[in-house]
Amino acid sequence: MWRSCLQLRDWGRHLLKRPLHGPIDPLVPGPSPELRARAYAPPAERKRFYQNVSITQGEGGFEINLDHRKLKTPQAKLFTVPSEALATAVATEWDSQQDTIKFYTMHLTTLCNTSLDNPTQRSKDQLIQAALKFLDTDTICYRVEEPETLVELQKNEWDPIIEWAEKRYGVEIGTSTSIMGPNIPAKTYEALASHLASYNMWALQGIEFVVAQLKSMVLTLGLIDLRLTVEQAVLLSRLEEEYQIQKWGNIEWAHDYELQELRARAAAGALFVHLCSESTTVKHKLLQE
């Protein structure tokens, strides 16, 4: 047991000492590959070390330059994205950082890193199944039986989205007050899997990211399909929580922070899905022209 603790301690020290964009050394004793994947997240903050951010087009796509240094992924791969629009959005994240680089605010950069490195080595089908798994516990499919005011609120706010999704994708979803959840037909999973298969791997990373934030496959589909705005999707995902806050009050700063953070993540994920399939041409663009 103590040997494992010492290995974890040494592994943590190694992570703190390694370069920002350097690969994890496979020769250093440490946790399993699963734990390494979890340690994939970048450090929370770092002092800004560049002045200008620019975009160039390379053979593999569009690259981000920090002064004269090309951006790399955590596994030291060249940071290359498939469209100019996505490159511009990522470059804007880097350019908007002040004296300190706050990596936890750079959701587009994180999604691109995940798409490029694929640290958990998931296939397209595995990404689809990971997203569809949330349908089993979809937030808006679980209903309360009381109080009556909340029952009515869920019905009025959630039912129209479920009805839209059923009609839009030709599926049956339904709702339930049982802890076991609704009995969703296999054909629904097949239809939605077929729909998700029409997206590329990059877009699927974004879709799964949004589903994980909203805890809802249905709301994610509504957001990606422009049936819902980011604000609407987030509010619907937090409907019961917002109901309780209105009734009992909230912690003054915590509620606002959580709400804005969820909006930022959902917006970044939805934007990522739409931008990752864009394709344009640019020779060189300096953001601070």
Side-chain angles (χ1 to χ4, degrees), residues 39-268:
Y40 187 78
E45 295 184 358
R46 180 185 178 182
K47 184 177 179 180
R48 178 164 173 160
F49 56 88
Y50 55 90
Q51 293 296 322
N52 299 316
V53 183
S54 62
I55 301 168
T56 53
Q57 185 178 13
E59 294 182 0
F62 296 88
E63 303 164 3
I64 310 297
N65 307 302
L66 306 178
D67 292 333
H68 300 294
R69 302 168 61 180
K70 291 188 180 297
L71 186 61
K72 300 290 185 67
T73 71
Q75 291 185 12
K77 295 179 182 177
L78 182 62
F79 190 102
T80 306
V81 300
S83 74
E84 181 189 7
L86 180 56
T88 300
V90 171
T92 300
E93 281 190 331
W94 286 88
D95 193 49
S96 64
Q97 301 301 306
Q98 302 301 315
D99 295 336
T100 302
I101 306 172
K102 299 181 179 181
F103 294 98
Y104 53 84
T105 67
M106 304 170 72
H107 306 306
L108 292 175
T109 298
T110 300
L111 283 166
C112 288
N113 280 331
T114 302
S115 297
L116 288 164
D117 285 348
N118 192 10
T120 53
Q121 297 299 304
R122 289 188 296 177
S123 65
K124 184 173 184 177
D125 184 64
Q126 286 175 320
L127 282 173
I128 292 173
Q129 294 307 316
L132 285 177
K133 188 176 181 181
F134 279 86
L135 194 57
D136 296 331
T137 56
D138 199 294
T139 295
I140 70 173
C141 292
Y142 280 79
R143 304 299 174 87
V144 299
E145 294 181 300
E146 58 179 359
E148 185 60 34
T149 51
L150 181 55
V151 172
E152 195 66 22
L153 182 64
Q154 290 179 340
K155 176 180 175 61
N156 292 338
E157 299 295 332
W158 285 348
D159 280 4
I161 305 303
I162 290 180
E163 292 169 3
W164 165 83
E166 290 179 330
K167 183 178 180 180
R168 167 68 175 81
Y169 301 104
V171 298
E172 179 184 343
I173 298 175
T175 64
S176 175
T177 57
S178 168
I179 193 173
M180 302 301 292
N183 184 20
I184 300 176
K187 288 184 177 180
T188 295
Y189 288 94
E190 294 171 3
L192 293 181
S194 177
H195 171 71
L196 292 178
S198 67
Y199 291 94
N200 59 40
M201 284 281 289
W202 283 62
L204 286 172
Q205 292 281 5
I207 289 173
E208 190 206 1
F209 178 78
V210 177
V211 172
Q213 306 311 310
L214 300 179
K215 304 297 186 293
S216 171
M217 185 74 238
V218 178
L219 291 178
T220 298
L221 291 171
L223 177 58
I224 300 301
D225 223 12
L226 305 182
R227 169 62 175 77
L228 298 170
T229 65
V230 171
E231 290 78 7
Q232 289 172 332
V234 168
L235 180 60
L236 290 172
S237 75
R238 292 166 51 90
L239 192 64
E240 185 172 353
E241 183 176 355
E242 293 294 331
Y243 172 85
Q244 297 297 343
I245 287 173
Q246 289 184 14
K247 185 175 182 180
W248 305 107
N250 66 293
I251 300 176
E252 186 174 347
W253 60 269
H255 170 255
D256 291 339
Y257 175 81
E258 291 174 0
L259 181 61
Q260 295 303 323
E261 178 63 16
L262 182 54
R263 284 178 178 174
R265 289 175 175 271

Side-chain angles (χ1 to χ4, degrees), residues 254-283:
H255 170 255
D256 291 339
Y257 175 81
E258 291 174 0
L259 181 61
Q260 295 303 323
E261 178 63 16
L262 182 54
R263 284 178 178 174
R265 289 175 175 271
L271 180 63
F272 183 81
V273 173
H274 288 284
L275 293 184
C276 68
S277 59
E278 294 287 334
S279 179
T280 55
T281 301
V282 68
K283 292 297 183 183

